Structures are given as C-alpha cells and as structure tokens.
Amino acid sequence: MTKVKTALIVGGGIAGPVAAMALQQAGIEARLYEAYGSTAENVGGGLSIAPNGLAALQVIGADDVVRAIGLPMSSIVIHSWTGKRLASFGGPSGMEPQRFVMRPDLYRALYGEAARRGIAVAHGKRLVSAEHLGSPHAPSGVRAHFADGTAAEADVLIGADGIRSTVRTVIDPAAPLPRYTGLLGFGGWSTGTGLPSTGDAMYMMFGKRAFFGYQVFDDGRCGWFANLPHPQPMTWSQANKTGAREWTRLLTEAFADDRMPVLDILRTSEEPEFVAVGGMEDIPRVPNWHRGRMVLVGDAAHATSPSSGQGASLAAESAVQLARCLRDLPAEQAFTAYEGLRRERVERIIAVAARTNSDKAAGPIARVLRDALLPTAMKLLAKPEKMAWQFDHRIDWAARVTA
C-alpha cells in the first residue's frame, strides 16, 4: 500500500486550514495555496458553529480557538411577522450550545492556529489547471499550475476553494454551477438598541417581505442578519457597490410592517460593521467529488446555503474525515471511503436548508399558506430529537478506516 505523504490544498478559507491541520495530525505534510494576495480577514458575515462542528475541531485540538471567539447560542426562537412566537429550538439535552461567530474572526482564528502549527500558506496562487503525474491509469501524484506561472506537486490535490471551486471543474468539467436561492444576505452589529438581552437565544422572524434574525448580548451589542428576496443574484462586489446606507434603507422598507424590533436594530446598526454578502447559493448535488489523485472538501463538494447553519461545521467534519481516510488507505480508496462517509449526510442537510429558503422567499400567496401552516409545522419540528441527527454527529479518529 502506497501511503500518501504530501498534499497540496487549494483554498485557505475555512476548510483549507482545518484540512491541513487534520492531515498534519495524520502524518501527512500539507501545503496551502490561496488565490488572494493577502489574508481575507474582512470577508463574510455572521455564522454559527454547531456542536458537531466543534466536535470535529476537537479531534484536531482546534475547538478552543473557536470557543474563545464565539458567543453561545443555545436556542433559536421563531416568530411570525405579527410577533407571535411560533416555536423554540434547542439542542439535544446535555449538548453544548452553538457558537455565533463572525466569519472574519473564524478565518483569523483557524488561519492563526494553522500557522502556529507550522503550516505555511502561499498567497497569490490562483489555480488555473492541474494534471496527474505518472500513468493515466495509475497516477503517482498531481501537478498544479497557478496564474503567476508557478507550479507545485504533491501526492494528492485537495480542492478547498469554495462554492465556485476551480478544482471541481478540473475534476469534472460538467460539474454543476451554484444555484441562486432567491435571497440576498446581509448582517451587522447594532449598539444602543435599548433592547433587553436575549440571553443565549437567537430570535428569528418570518417577516411579510423578508427574514430577520438577531441576538442581543449581555453587553448590549446586537448581532443581526437579514435575508431579502431578490429576483436576480448579485455577487459580493455588486452588492457592496450599493453601499450600507442604501441597503439599510431598503431593508427598513422591507420590514416596515413587521411587529418585531427590526427597525430599532437597523436604525442603530453600525455602518462600518454592515456586511452585504450578496446572493445566497447552494449546490444540491455535486456528482463527482474526486478523480484520480484529486478530491473536494467543504463548499467545493457540498455547498449548503447559510440557512442550514451548518456550512462551516460540515466543512470541518469533512476535512477531518478526509484526513482520517488518507491516513489509513491509498489515495483512490481513501477518496471513495471519504465520499461514502459524507455524501448522504451533507446532501440531507442541503435539502433541509433549501426548504427553509423557499419559506423565506415566499411570495404573497405562498406567504399566506406559510403563515397558516407554520405554527403546526414548528411545533412538530421544535423537538430536540428532531435535530439530534445534525448536532450529535461525531468522528471516531482512533477507528481505522477500511476500504
């Protein structure tokens, strides 16, 4: 059995550093190559790290760096636009709370932890192509070519380059493109709202025209996000050309009729902290996760929309599971085992998030039906055991992976 000794990881966001640390723990030298010329410390809004994500990070001893920057979120309270409380979702009994964290903070923490462990990141390395080395039927490695004219070789190539993955199209030129969910994403921080602390609870609301979520912390800060239905997708750069003030005005109009304290939160939102994410996207199914010595991880393989609350956690799970498989099996067998361990779970979560998106983007007629059915549906779903399959997932690092 030929053991994988080196790995080239394309993408230095969330999945990349976690994969590099997990591979290092598995005895495999990992090198990170990032397209951006500098660190991406100001990209992205708020997100949650679920208990299963923290458990995956715990396997490689990186969970405490996330706990240090995350704020506890033990339950989610759902309201209608009228202010009626529909349901409350809590994690299974005895399980630690989710952590609310800004993506730039999460990126900085994982990037810093990887650097502390001696994992170097080469910036300004935008992948343009990759090829197998050795026999076409029995490749011995991979060579990656970058836009700056340089190249790098390793035993395997791991695509951790996000929802618009270049590695995905190298593996499969016919791979599906991201699907727009019909929603634009926004987020930010507000101070001086005068609202009482929500404790460890995140409040969410199905508004008449848009969806809103917020959590007021004990120090008075309020973290919030909004999902605004929009007919056309927008890139991050397109959304940010509009500017925080104009988006705040449009969001204020969208929530004007809702009987929740959204307008107070938007009115006190800090402009420098305002984030326009752009179009929310997912990919229901990526047919081919690997080919030869190339494989996908994180959003490159299983991009779920932010509505799942599981994107970063699933990326951490997959990164750790991939490293475990490469520790125990030759590359091609490892990739097959990895996909077998991950595909069903991630696609189920992607499908759940897609149904949530359809409720958020409901039109006038669908909204009436949604509001009529939500109370009953929420009562059925607001049981810890209904969510346990997402949150209690654990990876047994010590167990050996078999083909």
Side-chain angles (χ1 to χ4, degrees):
M1 181 175 76
T2 303
K3 177 176 172 57
V4 170
K5 297 179 179 178
T6 59
L8 189 162
I9 302 174
V10 175
I14 303 301
V18 177
M21 289 186 282
L23 287 166
Q24 184 186 64
Q25 183 166 301
I28 299 170
E29 178 192 348
R31 291 168 282 156
L32 277 165
Y33 293 82
E34 169 58 51
Y36 292 103
S38 61
T39 56
E41 294 181 347
N42 297 311
V43 178
L47 54 86
S48 62
I49 304 295
N52 50 289
L54 287 168
L57 292 170
Q58 186 176 19
V59 170
I60 59 171
D63 51 320
D64 283 341
V65 299
V66 174
R67 288 191 185 90
I69 60 171
L71 297 165
M73 186 176 70
S74 60
S75 65
I76 296 173
V77 182
I78 307 292
H79 292 82
S80 70
W81 68 271
T82 64
K84 180 181 179 181
R85 179 172 172 147
L86 299 177
S88 177
F89 297 82
S93 178
M95 193 169 290
E96 74 171 296
Q98 299 186 62
R99 300 281 167 164
F100 177 79
V101 61
M102 298 303 289
R103 189 187 185 280
D105 295 335
L106 177 63
Y107 165 82
R108 192 180 302 111
L110 294 175
Y111 186 100
E113 181 63 16
R116 189 186 69 79
R117 300 184 187 192
I119 298 168
V121 183
H123 287 275
K125 300 293 182 180
R126 185 172 296 279
L127 184 75
V128 292
S129 65
E131 64 201 24
H132 282 106
L133 303 174
S135 166
H137 301 293
S140 59
V142 179
R143 179 185 294 118
H145 298 273
F146 303 102
D148 64 358
T150 61
E153 297 180 3
D155 292 337
V156 295
L157 170 64
I158 298 172
D161 48 345
I163 194 169
R164 285 183 164 71
S165 169
T166 300
V167 179
R168 186 171 62 234
T169 58
V170 171
I171 290 174
D172 179 10
L177 296 173
R179 177 182 67 174
Y180 177 50
T181 65
L183 298 165
L184 301 181
F186 304 90
W189 287 94
S190 296
T191 56
T193 63
L195 297 173
S197 170
T198 60
D200 292 349
M202 170 74 76
Y203 285 13
M204 296 184 183
M205 178 196 69
F206 285 97
K208 288 188 74 173
R209 302 179 186 86
F211 188 86
F212 196 84
Y214 71 95
Q215 186 168 354
V216 184
F217 300 96
D218 292 341
D219 61 4
R221 291 186 305 155
C222 175
W224 63 269
F225 73 90
N227 301 150
L228 180 68
H230 195 269
Q232 299 297 327
M234 299 181 76
T235 64
W236 180 89
S237 58
Q238 288 172 336
N240 280 272
K241 285 180 181 178
T242 300
R245 289 187 181 182
E246 177 61 12
W247 279 126
T248 301
R249 185 187 68 79
L250 293 171
L251 289 171
T252 299
E253 289 182 356
F255 293 109
D257 295 334
D258 296 322
R259 301 168 194 169
M260 292 287 285
V262 179
L263 300 187
D264 290 335
I265 295 171
L266 292 174
R267 177 177 51 80
T268 55
S269 179
E270 300 176 0
E271 189 170 328
E273 303 293 334
F274 184 92
V275 176
V277 178
M280 294 167 57
E281 299 174 319
D282 68 2
I283 302 178
R285 187 177 192 275
V286 174
N288 298 300
W289 283 20
H290 56 90
R291 177 173 64 85
R293 293 294 186 99
M294 306 181 196
V295 68
L296 304 174
V297 71
D299 281 354
H302 46 73
T304 179
S305 81
S307 294
S308 72
Q310 282 280 358
S313 296
L314 292 181
E317 285 182 3
S318 290
V320 172
Q321 200 68 279
L322 174 60
R324 178 172 165 256
C325 292
L326 284 169
R327 178 196 65 189
D328 296 341
L329 296 169
E332 290 85 349
Q333 292 181 26
F335 295 162
T336 300
Y338 156 69
E339 181 178 353
L341 289 167
R342 298 299 298 157
R343 182 181 283 278
E344 181 180 358
R345 171 172 168 77
V346 299
E347 289 183 356
R348 185 180 175 189
I349 290 175
I350 291 171
V352 170
R355 290 194 291 272
T356 301
N357 288 331
S358 66
D359 285 336
K360 290 180 178 180
I365 296 176
R367 186 177 68 235
V368 172
L369 293 173
R370 179 201 68 193
D371 291 350
L373 296 173
L374 267 178
T376 301
M378 289 296 173
K379 287 179 181 178
L380 292 174
L381 293 173
K383 297 178 180 179
E385 61 269 23
K386 294 289 185 180
M387 303 295 291
W389 68 273
Q390 291 194 35
F391 293 150
D392 66 3
H393 184 79
R394 298 295 181 268
I395 297 170
D396 186 355
W397 179 264
R400 183 171 179 82
V401 181
T402 56

